[in-house]
Amino acid sequence: MSIFAKPGDPWGGQLQQASFRGIPFGVLNAEGEYGRKIALHEYPYRDMPWAEDLGRATRHKTITGFIVENDLVTGTTDVLVVVQAMIAAAEMPGPATLIHPTLGELSIALPPGGLKVRESFDAGRYFELTFTFVEAGETLFPTILLGQLLTPLFAIATKLAIARSFIQSILNIAKYGAAIDDEIKFTTGVMLDGILSKGNDATSLSNQLSTLPGDNGRYVSGANVGLSSTATIETLSAQGAAARSQMVAQSAAVTAAVADPTTYAANAQVLIETLRASIASAATQITLLTSLATLTPNPIVDSSTIGVQRVIAQQTVVMIFQQFVLVEIALAAAAYQPTSYDDAVSVRDTVTGLLEAQILIQADAGNDDVMQAFSDLRKAVVDDLTASGGSLSVMEQFQFQESLPSLYLANRIYADVNRETELVVQADPIHPAFMPRAFRALAN
């Protein structure tokens, strides 16, 4: 939080965790400038001026803070990633939200040079930050462009909040000893087995065929495919094998870190990121990762004191994997290219439904930081899908008297035979020469 807080001091409990656009940092000192806007009028032959009050002056504030790697308070793991995210946040358009330790949530504007980042060869993985800012004034409603730019940033902030919550939960129950350690190891094994199984599915050749160039049929085509113009069966097979090896190695790193919650959280995050990166398209990413969002071992039934703590340990381990999966689903949704307005709405409703369920869980548990992080992430996803799908054509029901060839229908509906392939994907006929008499397709 800051150096102001002293252990056991009630003052420290009143301070809020400092953060900028959801990215937390430690505070060394803070200062502000306050006053009134004054127009000073001086007159000939009068000793005293007239100070005309023009209202409250703009408040200027300066905060000096820091980011350090493996910080248990902020949950920072890779300090270089956080610094780059902080710089990106400072360069985002529009007002920003900054949490001040004593003043709380502020809407601010950063002038040129408003964020200074200082690093030193003798400081190691420690960066010093200086924020110089002014209040932003009236709230500006976020634009679609702003949502697109902020989606990855909110994902980083959410991952940091997840890691902080996990570390604190594990530290709270660690005092119960070997039974808790065993439960963490067992639950970790169950979760990793499920994740690796899904990774094998994701890197299978059948799932990767959609990246082959050319028209390979509707069963391996659709939205978000054709990502590579040079892929071959051989290269795809080699990429799948490499991705599986990488996930196995990262899974082993998670298992090896069960006694270190900070390293455990960092390795779990990388594992889920690796899983998403191994999946060919955003559409497939959403489908496969969604099935992991509810992955959980059999619940523990034990009302003893140790049993209750084992339940907490199990839920904590399950939660960190599920939450990281949800963040990757949100990132996949932001990258998704919908085929129609209806498609964008469908993906939006699916993803926001998953995020809203997590928001409720965290709200009920009193984890305000994680709840707010997921709320911000959900808003960014909605804005992003609105931007990518808001201007697309809607789906319309078409009805014909007889079964007709797809080429004829593409020319009749769109006056463009080149759209025959997309029409086949949408109508899904037994054979393109015999299209259904009734089907839904793009209106124009």
Side-chain angles (χ1 to χ4, degrees), residues 166 184 187-188 191 264 313-321:
F166 172 80
I184 293 174
T187 305
T188 298
M191 299 301 291
Y264 184 103
Q314 182 190 66
Q315 292 174 344
T316 301
V317 172
V318 169
M319 192 65 69
I320 188 172
F321 286 107

Side-chain angles (χ1 to χ4, degrees), residues 288-309:
L288 290 180
L289 290 174
T290 297
S291 62
L292 277 179
T294 55
L295 176 64
T296 183
N298 294 327
I300 298 172
V301 180
D302 188 346
S303 59
S304 66
T305 300
I306 293 298
V308 171
Q309 301 306 316

Side-chain angles (χ1 to χ4, degrees), residues 1-2 4 11-12 14-34 59-64 96-108 131-133:
M1 182 180 296
S2 75
F4 304 142
W11 165 248
Q14 299 177 29
L15 301 180
Q16 300 191 43
Q17 171 62 55
S19 65
F20 178 67
R21 289 197 192 271
I23 305 174
F25 60 93
V27 175
L28 295 173
N29 56 68
E31 61 181 55
E33 299 178 12
Y34 311 95
R59 292 175 175 174
H60 297 258
K61 298 184 178 65
T62 301
I63 293 181
T64 302
T97 297
L98 183 141
I99 304 297
H100 189 283
T102 57
L103 300 179
E105 183 174 320
L106 304 174
S107 180
I108 69 166
F131 292 91
T132 304
F133 56 90

